[in-house]
Amino acid sequence: MATVVLLLLVVGAFLALGMARAPMWAWAVAVGLLTLLGQSGALDGAEAAGHGILSWLAWLPFVALSLLSIPSLRRSLIVAPVFDKVRTILPKVSDTEAQALEAGTVGFDAEIFSGTPDWNKLQSIPPIQLSAEEQAFLDGPTHQLCAMINDWQVRHSLREIPEDIWDFVKKNGFLGMLISKEHGGLGFSPQAQSLILGKIASRSPDIVTIVMVPNSLGPGELIEKYGTDAQKHHYLPRLAKGEEVPCFSLTGPTSGSDAATMRDIGYVMRGTYQGNETLGVRLSWEKRYITLGPKATLVGLAFRLFDKDNLLGKGEDVGITLALIPADHPGVNIGRRHLPSGAAFPNGPNWGSDVFIPIDWIIGGEKMAGNGWRMLMECLSAGRAISLPSSATAGVKMMLRVTSAYARVRKQFGLPVSRMEGVEEPLVRIIETAYVNEAARAMTAAMVSRGERPSVISALMKYQTTEKMRRAVNDAMDIHGGRAICDGPSNYLQSAYQMVPVGITVEGANILTRTLITFAQGALRSHPYLYKEVQAAQNPDRARGLDAFEDAFDNHIAFSLSNATGAFVHNVTGGALVSAPDHAQRMGHWYRQLARASRSYAFVADLTVALLGGGLKTKQKITGRMADALSELYMLAATLKRYDDDGRPAGDDHIVTLAAKNALHRFQEAIGGTIDNFPAHWARPLMRAVVFPLGRRFKPASDALGHKVAKHVLQPGEARDRLTRHIFISKDVNDPTGILEVTLEKVIAAEPAEKKLEKAIRDGIVRRYHGIDWFADAETKGVITAAEAEQLREVESLVARVIAVDHFDPAELKPNYVTPGHNLRGNEALAAE
Ligand SMILES: Cc1cc2nc3c(=O)[nH]c(=O)nc-3n(C[C@H](O)[C@H](O)[C@H](O)COP(=O)(O)OP(=O)(O)OC[C@H]3O[C@@H](n4cnc5c(N)ncnc54)[C@H](O)[C@@H]3O)c2cc1C
């Protein structure tokens, strides 16, 4: 017995050393003591060992660790050989990759990679805060804009953004939300921009696109951040007022996801502009998919710049460069329009051949030539965190608003379809997504508002929110049945269904963003030591590189040991030893589980990077799962924070518990999938022993909990309003979503009368068939009062309108818009010119 206790104490001591990131000498002392104990016979209850060769050999680990505690010896025996090995095997990080890596900041993602998230950092992220002016804009012009929009007219009848909408957004400054006040813009915070974009998105994906693009990666932001004074003074006020409509052209036919390989080219040379000889650039390019392109007056263009005669003093290959070109400049061709997912927002190709522009049209002027990729990546880190997450989150909230109402109003088999368990299941998925996406959106926007440019978080937010929007739209469609499938003015789901793929594809198509950007690049960025090691290994000066490497390497070893031991301990103890924030109260358990999962994540991430190394870019089934695992933990942190920020409203704890259970279960699936498929087979048992010492313990939320959540949200009231906050809600019976809101309230108010009528119908007292006035019949037979009959009549006619689908004269459906034939603009077309 004493031996077992002693053994447990020894194991405990080693685990504690690992978790405490003990220095090498502490390990040496511990091993020395262990050897001493072993030799005294205390561990196995035997007689003290003699002085044979074996007992001397047993001291070898102690001797080795003691020697390695001497810095100079450790350096020459371990660090330097590892450093030299790393230098030879490490794939070179290209310039464009390095610029992408260095462009953003790290945020709460680093806490997850650390394995020991700091709750103070989570709490220090501000809740949603808007200035009085921003709030007034959200409640005023944004609301007005939403009320003006007729989605069917936009996407079907006109297939064009109506002029009155353009005028309104320009006049009210929507196109200059990110432009500073100093330059005539609204100067709104990213949080405000996110909420404004979201509200518009809840009404029309087309209209939000025309507002989003000028407020996202494009001329406005690039000029504001990098422009010369002349460019700022000339363009920013004009962009802010909508006197210029901008577009930004990066993608071309041969360079989509791999945009940096663009073939668009500029040569520095002297040429003539407005009759004067001047230094400039001769450009040839071909771009496609450019949003606002067909309407743009100002084309932002990315191209590769060469300077044969070194006129700029930056060498021959200057690098990717960005310029601003007026759309009416001679040689600029603004093509016709693409038709992306039937959208009405302008999108099309543009091209030019040997177009001369003055050198000061380069964004930031001559000095910024060659810095284009860095400029784009810096803006993308922030922009990607705002634009698509805002609209995708608002989209899910809208799905929840309309689907929860429709499912309550629509009856089959004598019951609202929402009462059917099969319908409740997707409905609860939408509720969970609406809560979690909004939590993560708000937290991320708050981080950007305080100046962060979170590159990894923005990538995971982009793919997670748009992907979850896709699932929510599908769930909403399924719950609506045929009502969602038949298009027309009263269909409020089709535009979201059609446009979801646009969000999935733009700003880094989701497959690439998930598998390549979030983890493969993200691990380098968010890991506390890895990028420092990579940078050190790439230092051309070996001595300086080794110095930097040694520091990071020593810390990295302690970090890895701490994660391995910490993950094991927390997984054995179910997270009981982790501390939760003081205020966590009922959610303390989930904070602890989050910290526990984060330890496991840090451990597996570390091994993944160490063992796959340069293979990370190709082992995308692994990196994709690791991206999912990271996302789940980030979004769970946001969910817990939202609950606190909202003041822990009664009833929401069911949603938070459900979301936490599901998130941890999905996390477990992702990390378990990584381990089961890990390319280095020998590492799998080790990973399993640390991460799942007692098996896969996280279970998804139960059906019963899902039912509680659904009940909480299906009634009109605070909970439903909170889940769908900041979207446009109409109460106009002539609006396709407004009539749903009005009907839901009346249906609920009429429930008692309806129950009486339904019973009478079931009992055969009243018959409900075409041609019979069953309300009058029920009133005559004393089943319901006259007032109740009136109430039910009104409900019946409202419900009839809600469930109605549109029908058309065949002539109305003729495709008037598409001219058959040549709507391709490709290389063949260029060659033919
Ligand atoms: C409606 C719309 C609007 C747009 N607006 C603009 C705009 O205003 N300005 C602009 O410059 N561009 C714009 N784009 C272009 C958009 O950014 C690109 O479509 C996007 O970058 C993907 O490029 P691609 O379509 O050529 O797909 P491809 O690059 O051909 O990719 C095909 C698939 O392969 C995947 N993939 C590619 N490489 C990898 C990899 N290494 N690892 C894993 N998966 C990979 C992608 O994720 C994708 O799923 C727009 C596109 C659309 C459809």
Side-chain angles (χ1 to χ4, degrees):
M1 183 63 189
T3 308
V4 173
V5 172
L6 205 57
L7 260 176
L8 285 178
L9 279 176
V10 169
V11 172
F14 275 96
L15 290 174
L17 280 179
M19 286 174 76
R21 300 193 188 186
M24 192 72 83
W25 64 261
W27 284 97
V29 171
V31 169
L33 284 173
L34 180 67
T35 316
L36 210 57
L37 274 175
Q39 303 233 329
S40 70
L43 283 178
D44 54 8
E47 287 294 305
H51 292 282
I53 182 89
L54 281 179
S55 66
W56 285 114
L57 281 178
W59 283 96
L60 267 183
F62 166 72
V63 173
L65 284 170
S66 302
L67 288 176
L68 291 177
S69 303
I70 303 167
S72 55
L73 270 181
R74 186 170 67 245
R75 185 181 171 107
S76 52
L77 290 177
I78 296 192
V79 182
V82 172
F83 176 70
D84 289 332
K85 185 77 186 159
V86 169
R87 273 164 83 89
T88 52
I89 58 168
L90 206 70
K92 175 120 180 65
V93 178
S94 69
D95 282 353
T96 46
E97 273 176 306
Q99 285 173 13
L101 279 170
E102 280 156 24
T105 55
V106 286
F108 198 73
D109 46 333
E111 295 304 307
I112 295 169
F113 268 94
S114 78
T116 49
D118 178 348
W119 302 132
N120 290 328
K121 288 204 177 146
L122 185 65
Q123 292 317 312
S124 72
I125 302 169
I128 297 174
Q129 286 165 344
L130 297 185
S131 68
E133 188 193 355
E134 290 167 343
Q135 186 67 53
F137 194 86
L138 188 63
D139 299 336
T142 312
H143 195 84
Q144 275 173 274
L145 173 63
C146 290
M148 284 168 72
I149 297 169
N150 177 336
D151 181 51
W152 175 248
Q153 183 200 37
V154 170
R155 69 187 167 85
H156 179 82
S157 316
L158 298 176
R159 277 216 188 146
E160 182 63 271
I161 309 298
E163 275 312 310
D164 60 334
I165 300 271
W166 272 114
D167 290 347
F168 189 85
V169 298
K170 288 178 181 176
K171 201 171 97 222
N172 287 281
F174 279 92
L175 303 188
M177 290 194 289
L178 66 64
I179 295 175
S180 58
K181 286 208 157 81
E182 181 199 346
H183 293 113
L186 294 175
F188 282 170
S189 66
Q191 184 69 266
Q193 291 175 43
S194 168
L195 289 173
I196 292 163
L197 291 175
K199 189 160 181 171
I200 306 170
S202 70
R203 190 67 168 156
S204 162
D206 277 300
I207 307 299
V208 77
T209 303
I210 68 161
V211 176
M212 185 194 293
V213 168
N215 285 295
S216 183
L217 175 63
E221 190 175 13
L222 291 164
I223 300 171
E224 182 78 55
K225 286 217 170 93
Y226 311 102
T228 59
D229 285 345
Q231 286 167 343
K232 285 182 182 166
H233 287 131
H234 179 71
Y235 281 121
L236 290 178
R238 296 166 62 77
L239 285 164
K241 287 194 216 95
E243 286 166 10
E244 298 275 7
V245 174
C247 70
F248 193 78
S249 313
L250 174 64
T251 309
T254 54
S255 49
S257 301
D258 191 9
T261 57
M262 66 188 76
R263 297 177 185 181
D264 314 293
I265 191 165
Y267 296 101
V268 179
M269 57 178 295
R270 300 199 73 80
T272 309
Y273 175 64
Q274 292 186 333
N276 301 318
E277 201 196 289
T278 178
L279 186 63
V281 180
R282 195 184 76 221
L283 280 169
S284 294
W285 76 95
E286 185 184 7
K287 303 288 191 183
R288 67 173 179 182
Y289 300 147
I290 308 308
T291 304
L292 297 192
K295 181 94 182 170
T297 58
L298 183 64
V299 178
L301 186 73
F303 56 92
R304 187 144 205 126
L305 184 63
F306 286 90
D307 183 6
K308 200 163 49 67
D309 302 323
N310 201 15
L311 295 172
L312 303 183
K314 296 184 175 207
E316 188 184 353
D317 183 356
V318 180
I320 293 174
T321 300
L322 313 179
L324 295 165
I325 310 176
D328 59 4
H329 184 60
V332 176
N333 292 290
I334 299 292
R336 303 190 312 161
R337 292 174 61 148
H338 301 308
L339 188 54
S341 293
F345 67 81
N347 181 283
N350 66 63
W351 66 98
S353 189
D354 291 333
V355 177
F356 183 78
I357 64 163
I359 202 85
D360 56 8
W361 287 10
I362 289 177
I363 300 180
E366 220 178 290
K367 77 173 191 315
M368 294 307 276
N371 286 315
W373 196 251
R374 183 173 62 76
M375 292 154 72
L376 287 175
M377 291 302 112
E378 281 176 357
C379 291
L380 194 60
S381 296
R384 188 153 53 191
I386 299 299
S387 46
L388 290 160
S390 311
S391 47
T393 300
V396 177
K397 289 191 265 184
M398 197 54 171
M399 293 302 114
L400 173 58
R401 189 87 194 177
V402 293
T403 310
S404 56
Y406 185 81
R408 177 65 191 80
V409 168
R410 172 67 171 168
K411 287 169 84 179
Q412 287 295 283
F413 302 95
L415 284 175
V417 295
S418 60
R419 301 251 170 90
M420 324 227 169
E421 282 201 2
V423 171
E424 191 177 276
E425 200 177 344
L427 202 48
V428 171
R429 270 203 298 268
I430 304 178
I431 296 170
E432 178 190 345
T433 308
Y435 191 94
V436 173
N437 277 17
E438 167 60 11
R441 180 212 63 75
M443 179 163 110
T444 310
M447 284 158 54
V448 179
S449 295
R450 67 178 186 188
E452 294 178 34
R453 289 174 280 110
S455 51
V456 178
I457 291 173
S458 66
L460 76 83
M461 282 297 291
K462 190 269 163 176
Y463 91 81
Q464 282 285 338
T465 54
T466 52
E467 201 56 56
K468 287 185 172 163
M469 163 81 177
R470 165 147 68 185
R471 199 187 55 193
V473 175
N474 283 337
D475 282 340
M477 296 282 287
D478 292 350
I479 294 172
H480 277 75
R483 171 74 174 75
I485 309 299
C486 294
D487 206 0
S490 48
N491 189 321
Y492 42 76
L493 293 177
Q494 275 284 331
S495 58
Y497 186 71
Q498 284 173 9
M499 294 276 276
V500 152
V502 174
I504 303 271
T505 306
V506 301
E507 291 197 7
N510 276 6
I511 296 179
L512 164 111
T513 305
R514 171 175 177 259
T515 59
L516 193 65
I517 299 179
T518 304
F519 185 76
Q521 289 182 6
L524 278 182
R525 197 71 187 91
S526 314
H527 190 286
Y529 306 110
L530 206 60
Y531 195 44
K532 289 181 190 140
E533 289 164 337
V534 171
Q535 281 174 314
Q538 293 200 339
N539 195 330
D541 180 340
R542 185 182 177 279
R544 293 175 80 172
L546 183 58
D547 282 347
F549 185 81
E550 182 173 26
D551 191 38
F553 182 74
D554 282 352
N555 281 315
H556 194 159
I557 296 290
F559 172 75
S560 303
L561 272 172
S562 144
N563 283 331
T565 48
F568 179 76
V569 168
H570 294 324
N571 285 320
V572 167
T573 55
L577 303 179
V578 192
S579 60
D582 294 340
H583 66 264
Q585 296 172 9
R586 296 184 64 181
M587 294 303 154
H589 176 71
W590 300 119
Y591 275 99
R592 279 191 283 277
Q593 297 313 311
L594 171 58
R596 167 188 170 192
S598 153
R599 272 285 200 187
S600 299
Y601 185 80
F603 167 70
V604 176
D606 216 13
L607 273 187
T608 305
V609 177
L611 298 178
L612 300 192
L616 267 187
K617 282 186 196 163
T618 51
K619 293 287 172 215
Q620 298 189 340
K621 291 178 186 164
I622 297 293
T623 56
R625 288 189 182 98
M626 289 303 285
D628 292 346
L630 176 69
S631 308
E632 291 300 344
L633 299 190
Y634 177 74
M635 294 179 101
L636 175 54
T639 301
L640 295 172
K641 181 178 156 50
R642 170 180 177 173
Y643 180 67
D644 289 335
D645 288 349
D646 285 0
R648 301 170 203 132
D652 278 12
D653 45 357
H654 289 322
I655 304 178
V656 176
T657 305
L658 175 128
K661 281 177 177 248
N662 287 342
L664 288 165
H665 182 254
R666 287 190 296 262
F667 165 80
Q668 178 177 271
E669 295 292 296
I671 214 93
T674 302
I675 296 174
D676 291 344
N677 296 283
F678 202 73
H681 289 227
W682 61 265
R684 292 179 191 173
L686 168 70
M687 288 170 153
R688 261 185 219 118
V690 170
V691 178
F692 302 122
L694 305 178
R696 301 185 183 197
R697 314 281 296 173
F698 291 124
K699 299 269 177 293
S702 67
D703 293 351
L705 182 57
H707 182 64
K708 279 188 199 155
V709 165
K711 259 181 85 178
H712 180 54
V713 171
L714 284 177
Q715 307 288 337
E718 250 185 70
R720 183 165 174 265
D721 289 346
R722 210 171 27 249
L723 273 167
T724 55
R725 64 191 178 199
H726 301 307
I727 61 169
F728 178 76
I729 294 169
S730 166
K731 297 273 172 166
D732 176 359
V733 285
N734 294 314
D735 182 277
T737 56
I739 188 166
L740 203 49
E741 286 292 314
V742 174
T743 307
L744 176 66
E745 280 177 17
K746 303 238 174 197
V747 162
I748 297 217
E751 248 174 6
E754 197 199 3
K755 272 193 187 135
K756 291 187 219 166
L757 179 67
E758 289 296 337
K759 181 166 185 318
I761 291 169
R762 272 199 313 277
D763 295 345
I765 301 167
V766 176
R767 287 192 171 157
R768 184 167 50 192
Y769 292 107
H770 289 302
I772 300 175
D773 184 349
W774 52 87
F775 301 114
D777 193 22
E779 186 190 335
T780 315
K781 290 176 175 155
V783 173
I784 49 175
T785 65
E788 285 173 330
E790 203 42 51
Q791 188 184 27
L792 287 175
R793 257 196 203 96
E794 189 193 8
V795 166
E796 173 86 3
S797 82
L798 283 168
V799 171
R801 285 176 65 191
V802 164
I803 63 171
V805 297
D806 302 290
H807 38 82
F808 302 89
D809 187 291
E812 289 177 73
L813 297 175
K814 289 258 149 48
N816 300 320
Y817 307 98
V818 182
T819 322
H822 52 96
N823 55 0
L824 290 172
R825 160 92 227 155
N827 287 329
E828 302 89 322
L830 268 188
E833 269 173 15

